[in-house]
Amino acid sequence: MTVCTLVAQSGESSVTLEPAGVVVMGLSILIVCGLTLFCIVRLLRDQAPADHHHTPLDIDTHDAEP
Amino acid sequence: MSETPALETSGQREHWGSKFGVILAVAGSAVGLGNFLRFPGQAVNNGGGAFMIPYVVSFLILGIPICWCEWTMGRLGGRFGQNNGPGVMYALWRRAPAKGIGAMTLFIPIVVYLYYVFVEAWCLFYAIEFFSGGFSELFSNALSEAGENASEVDVIVGASGAFFGESVSIDQNGGVFESGNMLWMIVICFAVNFIIIYRGVTKGIEVFCKVAMPLLILCASIILIRVLTLDGISSGLGFMWNPHWESLADPGVWLAAAGQIFFTLSVGFGLILCYSSYLRENDDVVLTSLSACSTNEFCEVVLGGMIVVPTAFLFLGAENAQGSTFGLGFVTLPAIMHFMPGGSFFGGVWFGLLFLAAVTSSLSMLQPAIAFLEDGFGLKRTGSVLILLVVTAVGTLPTLYFTHNLIGLDHTDFWCNLLMILAATAQVLLFGWVIGAERGCREANRGADFPLPRFMPFMLRYVTPGFLILVLGAWAYTKAPAYLEGMSPAFKGAEAARSVYRPVIRAQFAGPDLTDEHLDAKVTEILGEDVRRDGLPDWLADYHQPAEAARDTASADASAARLVFIGLVVFFFVLLALADIACRNRIGRTIAAAERAGVCLESGP
């Protein structure tokens, strides 16, 4: 029997994932994944996204100049 | 076979390479410490699943709109040759308040860096300890010293907590300078951050982080899959996600959600304002910022929300699964690693990647100040980096010294958060009412992959600022008094002494009629307001010494908090003065030159 099962059974086995929790969790994940997927698909549809999509990680701040 | 297909193929490879490069860059920019450390604790302590309602509302009404504002204003300010907050603000609005807003966008990232580098050092220290077997040894020793009847969970969590407290010197001020280990970590972090910026190896760190940060997301995803297949994980998920709807009536929950959105999306910081100022006129800001926000939310909700707290609950129980941000990240998580097969390796990888995420965040926090020194005073990068190194090294000292109960970090964080909300409010008002919401949205749509929703001008003019003012007022009203009282040595000293005497008084007058209200009245009657030992009953004599010790400690913490606050105020006014000088001189001239070259911003709504 794993440690996690022991702990789960020891004191907090009364906590279960309720239907409302499933709905909230599912909706949250659905919304977030949907939005992320939407953005990725739009980026992939762009012919040359590197030409005009820039995030802080790849924005050139001209730090190389002395 | 003609040459054209080969060229087309080559072009397609370049396009796909650039597409995935952009997606990796988006992912890399999005992931940060807050996703895994802050969000889970905030959610579970503020209603569980019910927290998602104010969270999503804040995301839609505050997060996304403010992001769009900042990206747009930054790109617009960049056309006037400004890559710094004060310059961008002044280019958009030639009035004195613009300098004040600009000073805020300069102040916030610098001051956040002052304590963020401390957290960065913790991540590095923990990674080293995991890889070197330090944690294995720590937990083994703790278990061998514990009695046979001791709970393994309690022993491990206790050892982890003691290690954290000792590492950051949570029990005494100045301990970081005495212990040596953490101080070396901080020195290394400063060296890493500033060497990268000094050598201008942004492209190097960019290439590296394009791999490392998605690797963090991949690691977290693998851990997520492992977590979801654990026996009994539904109870952990229930602990995290079961909604406590009654919490929605608590304004503090809505505040916590708004604060989390601010912190996780880095809106109002001034970072986005700085980075977007380097964009070209027709670079997209709508899809880019939305992508960054959505990827950040994926890391936060799907990864952070599904891993840390459910696993902590499963392995360690409810008590250890609802701690503070730092408690979850640096006490609970290491304890979880003990129970996980290969925990030392995974723990090292996890904290190592968190360290890298912290480095990229630190670099982005330093960039606005460097840009200001270069734009505002004509300094070269070398000079601006050196000045910033000295300023931040000195500025970090209060956080590193006042570590008792992390008082320096906590108070700096609070005032920064308050100013962050104020700065975001000011920026949105400037966008909606000075630049004009319609005009600003047209500007945002320039080069956009898709246009902003049609209702966005209305939202940016009325809804977002209104909600922000509400959040700002509520935040100040509910939290500021405690922090203001926290700067009063007399008040905090009396409160600490009272807390020592109170249980004794309760025991003295114990009875069925002794309600909390009666006890409070009795405590006030016996102790008075300032809880001085003179005139107290003899039966309290045994508790005078611990009460005075508690008083002295709390008074010292309050004095430290006051010192930190005064330092922050002075620093802000110094930056304000510098922003004013720069705007009257070099920045003003650069803007005027841009205008003569044809760059303009139509004023009015």
Short mmCIF file of all heavy atoms in Angstrom, two decimals, chain B residues 403-453:
data_model
loop_
_atom_site.label_atom_id
_atom_site.label_comp_id
_atom_site.label_asym_id
_atom_site.label_seq_id
_atom_site.Cartn_x
_atom_site.Cartn_y
_atom_site.Cartn_z
N THR B 403 14.97 39.59 7.88
CA THR B 403 14.38 38.32 7.48
C THR B 403 13.52 37.70 8.58
O THR B 403 12.91 36.65 8.35
CB THR B 403 15.48 37.31 7.10
OG1 THR B 403 16.44 37.26 8.16
CG2 THR B 403 16.14 37.69 5.80
N HIS B 404 13.48 38.28 9.76
CA HIS B 404 12.63 37.75 10.82
C HIS B 404 11.19 37.81 10.34
O HIS B 404 10.66 38.88 10.04
CB HIS B 404 12.79 38.54 12.12
CG HIS B 404 12.00 37.97 13.25
ND1 HIS B 404 10.87 38.58 13.75
CD2 HIS B 404 12.14 36.81 13.95
CE1 HIS B 404 10.37 37.83 14.73
NE2 HIS B 404 11.12 36.76 14.87
N ASN B 405 10.57 36.64 10.25
CA ASN B 405 9.22 36.52 9.69
C ASN B 405 9.13 37.10 8.27
O ASN B 405 8.06 37.50 7.82
CB ASN B 405 8.18 37.21 10.58
CG ASN B 405 8.04 36.53 11.92
OD1 ASN B 405 8.24 35.31 12.04
ND2 ASN B 405 7.73 37.29 12.95
N LEU B 406 10.29 37.18 7.60
CA LEU B 406 10.37 37.72 6.23
C LEU B 406 9.69 39.09 6.15
O LEU B 406 9.02 39.42 5.18
CB LEU B 406 9.75 36.76 5.22
CG LEU B 406 10.46 35.41 5.06
CD1 LEU B 406 9.72 34.52 4.07
CD2 LEU B 406 11.89 35.61 4.61
N ILE B 407 9.90 39.89 7.18
CA ILE B 407 9.20 41.17 7.31
C ILE B 407 9.59 42.12 6.18
O ILE B 407 8.76 42.85 5.63
CB ILE B 407 9.47 41.80 8.70
CG1 ILE B 407 8.42 42.85 9.01
CG2 ILE B 407 10.84 42.39 8.82
CD1 ILE B 407 7.21 42.28 9.68
N GLY B 408 10.88 42.12 5.82
CA GLY B 408 11.32 43.01 4.76
C GLY B 408 10.67 42.66 3.43
O GLY B 408 10.14 43.52 2.72
N LEU B 409 10.69 41.40 3.10
CA LEU B 409 10.11 40.90 1.86
C LEU B 409 8.61 41.14 1.84
O LEU B 409 8.06 41.63 0.84
CB LEU B 409 10.41 39.41 1.71
CG LEU B 409 10.12 38.71 0.38
CD1 LEU B 409 11.01 37.48 0.24
CD2 LEU B 409 8.68 38.29 0.25
N ASP B 410 7.95 40.84 2.94
CA ASP B 410 6.49 40.92 3.00
C ASP B 410 6.02 42.36 2.80
O ASP B 410 5.11 42.63 2.02
CB ASP B 410 6.01 40.38 4.34
CG ASP B 410 4.50 40.39 4.45
OD1 ASP B 410 3.84 40.02 3.46
OD2 ASP B 410 3.98 40.75 5.52
N HIS B 411 6.64 43.30 3.50
CA HIS B 411 6.20 44.69 3.39
C HIS B 411 6.56 45.29 2.04
O HIS B 411 5.79 46.06 1.48
CB HIS B 411 6.79 45.51 4.55
CG HIS B 411 5.98 45.41 5.81
ND1 HIS B 411 5.19 46.43 6.28
CD2 HIS B 411 5.82 44.39 6.67
CE1 HIS B 411 4.58 46.05 7.39
NE2 HIS B 411 4.95 44.82 7.65
N THR B 412 7.72 44.96 1.51
CA THR B 412 8.08 45.45 0.19
C THR B 412 7.08 44.93 -0.84
O THR B 412 6.62 45.67 -1.71
CB THR B 412 9.50 44.99 -0.19
OG1 THR B 412 10.41 45.35 0.84
CG2 THR B 412 9.95 45.60 -1.50
N ASP B 413 6.74 43.67 -0.71
CA ASP B 413 5.79 43.05 -1.64
C ASP B 413 4.43 43.73 -1.55
O ASP B 413 3.80 44.03 -2.58
CB ASP B 413 5.66 41.56 -1.31
CG ASP B 413 4.64 40.88 -2.20
OD1 ASP B 413 4.83 40.91 -3.43
OD2 ASP B 413 3.67 40.32 -1.67
N PHE B 414 3.97 44.03 -0.34
CA PHE B 414 2.65 44.64 -0.20
C PHE B 414 2.59 46.01 -0.86
O PHE B 414 1.68 46.31 -1.64
CB PHE B 414 2.27 44.78 1.28
CG PHE B 414 1.03 45.59 1.47
CD1 PHE B 414 -0.22 45.06 1.17
CD2 PHE B 414 1.09 46.91 1.90
CE1 PHE B 414 -1.37 45.82 1.31
CE2 PHE B 414 -0.06 47.68 2.03
CZ PHE B 414 -1.29 47.12 1.74
N TRP B 415 3.55 46.87 -0.54
CA TRP B 415 3.50 48.23 -1.09
C TRP B 415 3.69 48.23 -2.61
O TRP B 415 3.11 49.05 -3.32
CB TRP B 415 4.53 49.13 -0.41
CG TRP B 415 4.21 49.34 1.05
CD1 TRP B 415 4.92 48.91 2.13
CD2 TRP B 415 3.06 50.02 1.59
NE1 TRP B 415 4.29 49.26 3.30
CE2 TRP B 415 3.16 49.95 3.00
CE3 TRP B 415 1.97 50.68 1.03
CZ2 TRP B 415 2.20 50.50 3.84
CZ3 TRP B 415 1.01 51.23 1.87
CH2 TRP B 415 1.14 51.14 3.26
N CYS B 416 4.49 47.28 -3.09
CA CYS B 416 4.64 47.14 -4.54
C CYS B 416 3.33 46.72 -5.19
O CYS B 416 2.96 47.22 -6.26
CB CYS B 416 5.71 46.10 -4.87
SG CYS B 416 7.29 46.82 -5.21
N ASN B 417 2.63 45.79 -4.55
CA ASN B 417 1.35 45.32 -5.10
C ASN B 417 0.36 46.47 -5.17
O ASN B 417 -0.38 46.63 -6.15
CB ASN B 417 0.77 44.20 -4.24
CG ASN B 417 1.49 42.89 -4.45
OD1 ASN B 417 2.17 42.71 -5.46
ND2 ASN B 417 1.38 41.99 -3.51
N LEU B 418 0.33 47.27 -4.11
CA LEU B 418 -0.60 48.41 -4.08
C LEU B 418 -0.27 49.40 -5.20
O LEU B 418 -1.15 49.87 -5.93
CB LEU B 418 -0.51 49.09 -2.72
CG LEU B 418 -1.61 50.11 -2.40
CD1 LEU B 418 -2.97 49.43 -2.39
CD2 LEU B 418 -1.34 50.76 -1.05
N LEU B 419 1.02 49.65 -5.35
CA LEU B 419 1.44 50.60 -6.38
C LEU B 419 1.21 50.03 -7.78
O LEU B 419 0.91 50.77 -8.72
CB LEU B 419 2.92 50.94 -6.20
CG LEU B 419 3.36 52.27 -6.81
CD1 LEU B 419 2.64 53.42 -6.15
CD2 LEU B 419 4.87 52.45 -6.69
N MET B 420 1.31 48.71 -7.89
CA MET B 420 1.09 48.04 -9.17
C MET B 420 -0.35 48.26 -9.63
O MET B 420 -0.62 48.56 -10.79
CB MET B 420 1.35 46.55 -8.98
CG MET B 420 1.70 45.77 -10.21
SD MET B 420 1.86 44.03 -9.82
CE MET B 420 3.00 44.03 -8.45
N ILE B 421 -1.29 48.10 -8.70
CA ILE B 421 -2.70 48.30 -9.04
C ILE B 421 -2.94 49.77 -9.38
O ILE B 421 -3.67 50.08 -10.32
CB ILE B 421 -3.61 47.85 -7.88
CG1 ILE B 421 -3.35 46.38 -7.54
CG2 ILE B 421 -5.07 48.04 -8.24
CD1 ILE B 421 -4.08 45.89 -6.30
N LEU B 422 -2.30 50.65 -8.63
CA LEU B 422 -2.44 52.09 -8.91
C LEU B 422 -1.87 52.42 -10.30
O LEU B 422 -2.49 53.16 -11.07
CB LEU B 422 -1.70 52.89 -7.83
CG LEU B 422 -1.78 54.42 -7.93
CD1 LEU B 422 -3.22 54.88 -7.78
CD2 LEU B 422 -0.91 55.06 -6.85
N ALA B 423 -0.71 51.86 -10.61
CA ALA B 423 -0.08 52.13 -11.91
C ALA B 423 -0.94 51.58 -13.05
O ALA B 423 -1.11 52.24 -14.08
CB ALA B 423 1.31 51.49 -11.96
N ALA B 424 -1.50 50.39 -12.86
CA ALA B 424 -2.36 49.81 -13.89
C ALA B 424 -3.60 50.67 -14.09
O ALA B 424 -4.05 50.89 -15.22
CB ALA B 424 -2.75 48.38 -13.52
N THR B 425 -4.17 51.14 -12.99
CA THR B 425 -5.34 52.02 -13.07
C THR B 425 -5.02 53.28 -13.86
O THR B 425 -5.77 53.68 -14.76
CB THR B 425 -5.83 52.41 -11.66
OG1 THR B 425 -6.02 51.24 -10.87
CG2 THR B 425 -7.12 53.20 -11.73
N ALA B 426 -3.89 53.87 -13.53
CA ALA B 426 -3.48 55.10 -14.22
C ALA B 426 -3.26 54.84 -15.71
O ALA B 426 -3.66 55.65 -16.56
CB ALA B 426 -2.21 55.65 -13.58
N GLN B 427 -2.64 53.72 -16.03
CA GLN B 427 -2.36 53.42 -17.44
C GLN B 427 -3.65 53.20 -18.23
O GLN B 427 -3.79 53.66 -19.36
CB GLN B 427 -1.47 52.18 -17.54
CG GLN B 427 -0.03 52.43 -17.15
CD GLN B 427 0.81 51.16 -17.16
OE1 GLN B 427 0.92 50.51 -18.19
NE2 GLN B 427 1.37 50.82 -16.03
N VAL B 428 -4.58 52.49 -17.61
CA VAL B 428 -5.85 52.23 -18.30
C VAL B 428 -6.63 53.54 -18.48
O VAL B 428 -7.24 53.78 -19.53
CB VAL B 428 -6.69 51.19 -17.52
CG1 VAL B 428 -8.09 51.09 -18.08
CG2 VAL B 428 -6.01 49.84 -17.59
N LEU B 429 -6.61 54.39 -17.46
CA LEU B 429 -7.29 55.68 -17.58
C LEU B 429 -6.64 56.54 -18.66
O LEU B 429 -7.33 57.22 -19.44
CB LEU B 429 -7.26 56.42 -16.23
CG LEU B 429 -8.20 55.89 -15.16
CD1 LEU B 429 -7.94 56.55 -13.82
CD2 LEU B 429 -9.66 56.09 -15.57
N LEU B 430 -5.33 56.49 -18.74
CA LEU B 430 -4.62 57.23 -19.78
C LEU B 430 -5.01 56.70 -21.15
O LEU B 430 -5.27 57.47 -22.09
CB LEU B 430 -3.11 57.11 -19.56
CG LEU B 430 -2.18 58.05 -20.34
CD1 LEU B 430 -0.88 58.25 -19.58
CD2 LEU B 430 -1.86 57.52 -21.72
N PHE B 431 -5.07 55.38 -21.27
CA PHE B 431 -5.43 54.76 -22.55
C PHE B 431 -6.85 55.12 -22.94
O PHE B 431 -7.12 55.48 -24.09
CB PHE B 431 -5.28 53.24 -22.44
CG PHE B 431 -5.46 52.50 -23.72
CD1 PHE B 431 -4.38 52.21 -24.53
CD2 PHE B 431 -6.71 52.07 -24.13
CE1 PHE B 431 -4.54 51.52 -25.73
CE2 PHE B 431 -6.89 51.39 -25.31
CZ PHE B 431 -5.80 51.11 -26.12
N GLY B 432 -7.77 55.02 -21.97
CA GLY B 432 -9.17 55.20 -22.30
C GLY B 432 -9.61 56.65 -22.42
O GLY B 432 -10.51 56.96 -23.21
N TRP B 433 -8.96 57.54 -21.65
CA TRP B 433 -9.46 58.92 -21.57
C TRP B 433 -8.49 59.96 -22.13
O TRP B 433 -8.92 61.08 -22.41
CB TRP B 433 -9.78 59.25 -20.12
CG TRP B 433 -10.94 58.45 -19.62
CD1 TRP B 433 -10.90 57.20 -19.07
CD2 TRP B 433 -12.31 58.83 -19.63
NE1 TRP B 433 -12.16 56.77 -18.75
CE2 TRP B 433 -13.05 57.75 -19.08
CE3 TRP B 433 -12.99 59.96 -20.06
CZ2 TRP B 433 -14.43 57.79 -18.94
CZ3 TRP B 433 -14.38 60.01 -19.91
CH2 TRP B 433 -15.08 58.94 -19.37
N VAL B 434 -7.25 59.65 -22.25
CA VAL B 434 -6.29 60.63 -22.79
C VAL B 434 -5.99 60.29 -24.24
O VAL B 434 -6.19 61.10 -25.14
CB VAL B 434 -4.99 60.65 -21.95
CG1 VAL B 434 -3.97 61.58 -22.59
CG2 VAL B 434 -5.29 61.10 -20.53
N ILE B 435 -5.52 59.08 -24.44
CA ILE B 435 -5.32 58.64 -25.83
C ILE B 435 -6.67 58.50 -26.50
O ILE B 435 -6.86 58.86 -27.66
CB ILE B 435 -4.57 57.29 -25.87
CG1 ILE B 435 -3.18 57.45 -25.27
CG2 ILE B 435 -4.49 56.75 -27.29
CD1 ILE B 435 -2.44 56.13 -25.11
N GLY B 436 -7.61 57.99 -25.76
CA GLY B 436 -8.96 57.75 -26.27
C GLY B 436 -9.14 56.28 -26.57
O GLY B 436 -8.33 55.69 -27.29
N ALA B 437 -10.21 55.72 -26.03
CA ALA B 437 -10.41 54.27 -26.17
C ALA B 437 -10.55 53.85 -27.63
O ALA B 437 -9.97 52.85 -28.06
CB ALA B 437 -11.63 53.84 -25.37
N GLU B 438 -11.32 54.62 -28.40
CA GLU B 438 -11.50 54.27 -29.81
C GLU B 438 -10.18 54.34 -30.56
O GLU B 438 -9.81 53.43 -31.31
CB GLU B 438 -12.50 55.23 -30.47
CG GLU B 438 -13.92 55.14 -29.92
CD GLU B 438 -14.68 53.94 -30.48
OE1 GLU B 438 -14.17 53.28 -31.41
OE2 GLU B 438 -15.77 53.65 -29.97
N ARG B 439 -9.48 55.42 -30.36
CA ARG B 439 -8.19 55.63 -31.03
C ARG B 439 -7.19 54.57 -30.59
O ARG B 439 -6.44 54.02 -31.39
CB ARG B 439 -7.66 57.02 -30.72
CG ARG B 439 -6.50 57.48 -31.58
CD ARG B 439 -6.09 58.87 -31.15
NE ARG B 439 -7.26 59.71 -30.89
CZ ARG B 439 -7.94 60.37 -31.83
NH1 ARG B 439 -7.56 60.33 -33.09
NH2 ARG B 439 -9.00 61.11 -31.50
N GLY B 440 -7.18 54.29 -29.28
CA GLY B 440 -6.26 53.29 -28.75
C GLY B 440 -6.54 51.91 -29.31
O GLY B 440 -5.61 51.17 -29.64
N CYS B 441 -7.81 51.58 -29.45
CA CYS B 441 -8.15 50.27 -30.00
C CYS B 441 -7.80 50.19 -31.48
O CYS B 441 -7.40 49.13 -31.98
CB CYS B 441 -9.63 49.96 -29.78
SG CYS B 441 -10.02 49.63 -28.04
N ARG B 442 -7.96 51.30 -32.19
CA ARG B 442 -7.54 51.31 -33.61
C ARG B 442 -6.03 51.08 -33.69
O ARG B 442 -5.54 50.36 -34.55
CB ARG B 442 -7.90 52.64 -34.26
CG ARG B 442 -9.34 52.73 -34.71
CD ARG B 442 -9.49 53.82 -35.77
NE ARG B 442 -9.08 55.13 -35.30
CZ ARG B 442 -9.89 55.97 -34.66
NH1 ARG B 442 -11.14 55.62 -34.39
NH2 ARG B 442 -9.44 57.16 -34.28
N GLU B 443 -5.31 51.69 -32.77
CA GLU B 443 -3.86 51.51 -32.74
C GLU B 443 -3.52 50.06 -32.42
O GLU B 443 -2.60 49.47 -33.01
CB GLU B 443 -3.24 52.45 -31.69
CG GLU B 443 -1.76 52.24 -31.43
CD GLU B 443 -0.88 52.47 -32.65
OE1 GLU B 443 -1.22 53.32 -33.48
OE2 GLU B 443 0.15 51.76 -32.75
N ALA B 444 -4.25 49.47 -31.49
CA ALA B 444 -4.00 48.06 -31.15
C ALA B 444 -4.27 47.15 -32.34
O ALA B 444 -3.57 46.15 -32.55
CB ALA B 444 -4.88 47.65 -29.97
N ASN B 445 -5.27 47.51 -33.14
CA ASN B 445 -5.64 46.67 -34.27
C ASN B 445 -4.65 46.77 -35.42
O ASN B 445 -4.65 45.93 -36.32
CB ASN B 445 -7.04 47.07 -34.79
CG ASN B 445 -8.13 46.61 -33.84
OD1 ASN B 445 -7.93 45.68 -33.06
ND2 ASN B 445 -9.27 47.27 -33.91
N ARG B 446 -3.77 47.75 -35.37
CA ARG B 446 -2.75 47.90 -36.42
C ARG B 446 -1.85 46.68 -36.42
O ARG B 446 -1.20 46.37 -35.42
CB ARG B 446 -1.94 49.17 -36.19
CG ARG B 446 -0.96 49.48 -37.32
CD ARG B 446 0.14 50.42 -36.84
NE ARG B 446 -0.38 51.65 -36.30
CZ ARG B 446 -0.57 52.76 -37.02
NH1 ARG B 446 -0.26 52.77 -38.30
NH2 ARG B 446 -1.05 53.85 -36.45
N GLY B 447 -1.80 45.99 -37.53
CA GLY B 447 -0.94 44.81 -37.63
C GLY B 447 -1.46 43.60 -36.88
O GLY B 447 -0.79 42.57 -36.82
N ALA B 448 -2.66 43.73 -36.30
CA ALA B 448 -3.17 42.64 -35.47
C ALA B 448 -3.60 41.45 -36.30
O ALA B 448 -4.13 41.61 -37.40
CB ALA B 448 -4.35 43.14 -34.62
N ASP B 449 -3.40 40.31 -35.75
CA ASP B 449 -3.81 39.08 -36.43
C ASP B 449 -5.33 39.02 -36.53
O ASP B 449 -5.89 38.48 -37.48
CB ASP B 449 -3.27 37.89 -35.66
CG ASP B 449 -3.34 36.60 -36.45
OD1 ASP B 449 -2.39 36.32 -37.21
OD2 ASP B 449 -4.35 35.90 -36.33
N PHE B 450 -5.99 39.50 -35.48
CA PHE B 450 -7.44 39.67 -35.53
C PHE B 450 -7.78 40.90 -34.70
O PHE B 450 -7.04 41.23 -33.76
CB PHE B 450 -8.18 38.42 -35.00
CG PHE B 450 -7.86 38.04 -33.58
CD1 PHE B 450 -8.52 38.61 -32.51
CD2 PHE B 450 -6.87 37.09 -33.33
CE1 PHE B 450 -8.21 38.26 -31.21
CE2 PHE B 450 -6.55 36.75 -32.03
CZ PHE B 450 -7.22 37.33 -30.97
N PRO B 451 -8.85 41.60 -35.03
CA PRO B 451 -9.16 42.84 -34.34
C PRO B 451 -9.69 42.60 -32.93
O PRO B 451 -10.19 41.51 -32.62
CB PRO B 451 -10.22 43.50 -35.22
CG PRO B 451 -10.89 42.36 -35.89
CD PRO B 451 -9.86 41.30 -36.08
N LEU B 452 -9.56 43.63 -32.12
CA LEU B 452 -10.14 43.57 -30.78
C LEU B 452 -11.66 43.46 -30.89
O LEU B 452 -12.26 43.94 -31.86
CB LEU B 452 -9.79 44.83 -29.99
CG LEU B 452 -8.33 45.05 -29.63
CD1 LEU B 452 -8.17 46.37 -28.89
CD2 LEU B 452 -7.80 43.92 -28.78
N PRO B 453 -12.30 42.86 -29.91
CA PRO B 453 -13.77 42.82 -29.92
C PRO B 453 -14.33 44.24 -29.96
O PRO B 453 -13.73 45.18 -29.46
CB PRO B 453 -14.10 42.13 -28.58
CG PRO B 453 -12.88 41.38 -28.22
CD PRO B 453 -11.72 42.14 -28.76
#
